[in-house]
Amino acid sequence: MDLSRYVDLFLSEGREHVAELSVALSELERAPASGDAIAGAFRAVHSIKGMAAAMGYLVVTERADGLESALDAVRRGEEVVTASLLSHLIEEADALAHDIEIAVGVGVSAPANSVEAAPQRRAPSNVRVRASRLDSLMDLVGELEIERGRMEREVNRISDDDLSAAFGSASRLLNDLREQVMAARMVPVGQVFERFPRLVRETARTLGKEVDFTLDGADIELDRSMLDRIGDPVMHLLRNAVDHGIESSEQRERDGKTARGKLTLSAQREAGYVLIRVADDGMGIDRGRVLERAIEAGIVDAGVQSLEDVELLRVLAHPGFSTALEVTSVSGRGVGLDVVDATVRALGGAIEMKSVHGRGTAISLRLPLSVAIVRALVARVGEELFAIPFTHVIDTLAIEPPAAALRGDQWSHTEIGGSPASVVMLRQRFGMSPRIAERMLGVCVRSRGRRAALLVDEFIGQQDVVVKRFDQPRGGATMFAGATVLGDGSPALVVDVNSLI
């Protein structure tokens, strides 16, 4: 496979992870016992290792694996961060950064460091534009959208036919501009996905397994900034599927399966979002073993008897959780699903899992088309307006509370379409005075395989909103993914559905 198209992407992502590693090591220098710093360094090095393995850069892969092993010893308490150890880690991080530059031919040429010669760059046939410039254009379009809402109110107030016609023309041009800017940011997922067949092949070879890998939907388009950020999560899912999911050929034949395992990476466009799925026909997840380790780690209560798919995902995505009996260059050392979960949530998406013992596991990432402008359902709760991303919305409905709830008893569950669903009273969750009426309005949403009804006071309507990200208050509840200004100039918070259900 021609990997030349991924060289620049590898370089940019590698530099980004090296920067994250440097920040983590600087924090470790200030606070040698910082668990967050150690975890951050782990994630950065593990990502570099996986990327380098996919590209065939053996020197980078081996250097990253050695650095990860050193960090692993610190994480497990086998080593204490001393001045000499920290100096060694920093030197290795610098060497890793140098190896990355050499691998892609940016630095001074060392003997060839991969099984195949470093891919040669092809002359670009298109004008290359920095992603930051496209981001700036999208920000400006977002500001124009807000100003259009203000102008529309004034035009409606003045009620002048000529002015209304001029505004209509300008509004259509703005729509066209927005579509063109968004289209310029959209790229086929295959630009990232097509580097994974080699990763799967090399991982399977290392583990002595036989795997048939299928890639579907490579032409589905996604916002470039989002696509860049999901590369690592997908890589982790594929490595975990080969390592922990698919059995050896001998075991598969004993179980009546074909000797070669099947692994599929697919992308499909659905209303308002893209669904990316990694599915294998392996052994499935050993829920009993996961539950045992989760109880030992204090992640779940000792009285829990079984784990449904939702709880199983929560446990597996817990930072540092692993059922691996021994550390290998592939096992991930407890780094994997926590990275996937954190990244997908930061993008305003959701992760879901289905696993059947003996038949396999499928993990789905539900992602909005863009991180900048999203389709949302706007609703009023109390005197405030909130935007609920369509990525999570299934339907709107009217709910009749049980008599006990009308009397003041706690109401936590209802039934939607014949299936149980939790009830989330947004008034109460957002710190407002609760109110229960004989007929309540709800938004049926889903996240991580769960369904819930978010109770609101009034539906305002649907609209595309420009999401402005913000840092959550330290120590505060994570309930919002950002803020926006609606078409009428009203401010609204964008609800983080993942944190509510």
Side-chain angles (χ1 to χ4, degrees), residues 353-376:
M353 170 187 286
K354 289 187 179 296
S355 184
V356 179
H357 182 65
R359 294 178 58 185
T361 300
I363 298 180
S364 301
L365 312 181
R366 193 178 301 273
L367 300 166
L369 297 177
S370 170
V371 295
I373 298 180
V374 300
R375 191 70 176 169

Side-chain angles (χ1 to χ4, degrees), residues 20 82 182 266 291 296 350 402:
E20 293 171 359
T82 61
M182 290 190 67
S266 63
L291 178 60
E296 291 176 359

